[in-house]
Amino acid sequence: MSTTVIEPAQSIRSVAEDDSVYENRTENEHDRVALSANSPDDGGEGSTPAPTPVRNVWAKMDLVVLPVTSMMFFLSSLDRSNIGNARIAGFQAHLGISDEQFSLALTITIIPYTLVNFPTNALQKLLGPRLLLPSMVVLWGAVCAFQGLVRDFTGLITCRFFLGLFEGGLLPGIVLYLSSFYPKRRLQLRIAILFSATSLASAFSGLLAAAIVRMDGAGGKPGWAWLFILEGLFTVLFGFSAFFLLPNAPTSAPFFTEAEKQQIKRELHEDGIVLVNEQDKDYTWTEFGRAFIQPHVILTALSGFFNGATVSGLAYFLPSIVAGLGYSGTTAQLLSVPPFAFTAVLSLVSSFLSDRYAQRGITVISFAALAAIGFSIFLGSSATAARYTSLFLLAAGSYSIAPPLGAWMANNTAPALRRATALALLSTLSNLGSLVSAWLLGALADPPRYTAPAAVLLAFQLAIVLSAGANLAWLAAENGRRARRRAGARAGEGEDGEERDTVGRNDSVWFTYVL
């Protein structure tokens, strides 16, 4: 009797055996799902029919995973960038710090935020996401609340250092977490939902700040202090609840039936994904190092650097930019909301289409071009209405680049450690971009026109177009080369059995890159 083996590359072959078995090969030779045709449940002999898919299993996964991870990222963005809202509410003047000191405080946040990406992803593999991610939330929430108690510059930079230290590994950790929960073609929309939390946090931050600063004088504290304290305390409470809400692995969630768990495991394995709680023999230092020498990883991370500078700059300084248009106080806080709300909607719609058609590179290039148009209008116009309208384009363009970049990196790097390393590298380069914007839009800025920062960020959008275009061209050429080699192998010109065994690695001839 023959055995049908389904490979991740969708090739099918037959092997002579005594029983008929469906087997899914993964990155790990030991991680396989087998269904015997002679099991007591199939009621007969012969080949086993393919298991019937459970309807809406991924929608159910969304309800289990996305609310918790999105809220984590929402609070992360809110707690990191609310210093921009506090600045308008008198925070900087109350502490008596200069623009240079304000930029230095942001820099102190970004340095540990950048350095912890690699170790936290490694810790996530060892400790599990259910323990690590909520612990980070609780710790940075406490630090955020303590910012409301600072009285001088020394206290501020101490808080900002620990805020970056505890919060830094969250983004690569969550993207790594989601990449082990969803097949490749379903990933970008989920990352977009995650990143829409950033846009919503930036929008909600203005609304929330406008309300909280009215507590000015309550308990003898200024309004900006209550902004830090209340937002930080809420984060701490949510972090404790996340210990109980966040599943460690797709198959460990109590809400799934056994049939649903088997379907999830089968589909993930067919996509070459090793689950969090499975043994991964490829988790080695060699795989860690290989991530740094692959062209598509370098080009994607480079795009992340340019995009990180733009996104971080807008998160910290958009309220100040709006104030530079002639608005002040609560009005400036509220007018920073609409551009981010528009961004959230556009990012979700575009990511749905990108997942549907598996097009990451075109999505990145299109949104970089949109952001470039926005910066061009901001630079070229002196009319307040036109410059404010340009914020919709540049915010929507730059923020909508992050989801396809994260999905592109996760889709095209395997096995698990290489993927974790590549995602950490993307986050690290993005954070280094944040260092640039902290000074470019801070101490070195020229408000209210912001001519020099806008010109530099416009150049960054064009650099994203070039790096993403080069990446797209390289991936397409590599897919063509591999397709020719596979065709030759199938035609009997010589098949490398060792390469077929390494199908779970992205440098295998049997691995097809997502464009």
Side-chain angles (χ1 to χ4, degrees), residues 74-139:
F74 174 88
L75 295 174
S76 167
S77 178
L78 192 69
D79 293 343
R80 187 174 66 258
S81 61
N82 57 11
I83 191 172
N85 300 100
R87 187 187 194 195
I88 291 181
F91 161 77
Q92 183 175 347
H94 191 272
L95 291 187
I97 61 177
S98 65
D99 289 343
E100 288 77 12
Q101 288 176 312
F102 184 81
S103 292
L104 181 59
L106 299 184
T107 303
I108 292 296
T109 310
I110 296 167
I111 291 174
Y113 192 95
T114 301
L115 295 178
V116 299
N117 291 322
F118 292 105
T120 52
N121 266 12
L123 275 176
Q124 185 164 314
K125 182 70 177 178
L126 297 174
L127 302 178
R130 188 177 187 178
L131 176 60
L132 181 66
L133 297 178
S135 297
M136 293 164 60
V137 175
V138 171
L139 290 170

Side-chain angles (χ1 to χ4, degrees), residues 237-441:
L237 293 175
F238 180 79
F240 280 118
S241 68
F243 282 109
F244 305 97
L245 297 174
L246 195 70
N248 212 41
T251 53
S252 67
F255 310 102
F256 291 115
T257 66
E258 195 58 38
E260 288 172 332
K261 290 179 180 180
Q262 288 304 313
Q263 179 187 339
I264 292 167
K265 189 174 183 180
R266 180 175 61 252
E267 290 193 31
L268 291 176
H269 280 183
E270 287 173 358
D271 231 3
I273 295 171
V274 176
L275 305 188
V276 172
N277 56 354
E278 295 177 331
Q279 181 185 2
D280 184 3
K281 71 175 185 178
D282 293 316
Y283 203 81
T284 64
W285 283 108
T286 301
E287 287 301 333
F288 175 84
R290 283 177 179 168
F292 295 94
I293 61 174
Q294 302 199 310
H296 69 286
V297 171
I298 296 170
L299 288 169
T300 306
L302 189 60
S303 297
F305 169 81
F306 296 122
N307 184 241
T310 312
V311 169
S312 179
L314 292 175
Y316 285 129
F317 293 102
L318 189 66
S320 298
I321 293 172
V322 172
L325 297 178
Y327 305 101
S328 62
T330 301
T331 302
Q333 302 275 20
L334 294 176
L335 284 177
S336 67
V337 174
F340 289 119
F342 172 69
T343 295
V345 174
L346 186 60
S347 178
L348 290 175
V349 172
S350 65
S351 292
F352 172 80
L353 295 174
S354 179
D355 265 355
R356 184 180 182 91
Y357 298 104
Q359 294 294 329
R360 313 301 190 207
I362 294 298
T363 307
V364 171
I365 292 170
S366 299
F367 279 119
L370 180 65
I373 293 171
F375 279 111
S376 298
I377 295 173
F378 187 85
L379 279 169
S381 176
S382 58
T384 298
R387 302 187 84 212
Y388 179 70
T389 301
S390 73
L391 299 180
F392 285 79
L393 301 181
L394 60 90
S398 55
Y399 270 76
S400 298
I401 289 172
L405 273 184
W408 213 9
M409 187 73 93
N411 289 165
N412 289 333
T413 48
L417 179 59
R418 196 182 300 180
R419 184 183 305 116
T421 306
L423 288 171
L425 179 63
L426 175 62
S427 183
T428 298
L429 266 291
S430 298
N431 293 334
L432 289 176
S434 300
L435 281 175
V436 174
S437 63
W439 290 91
L440 189 64
L441 285 159

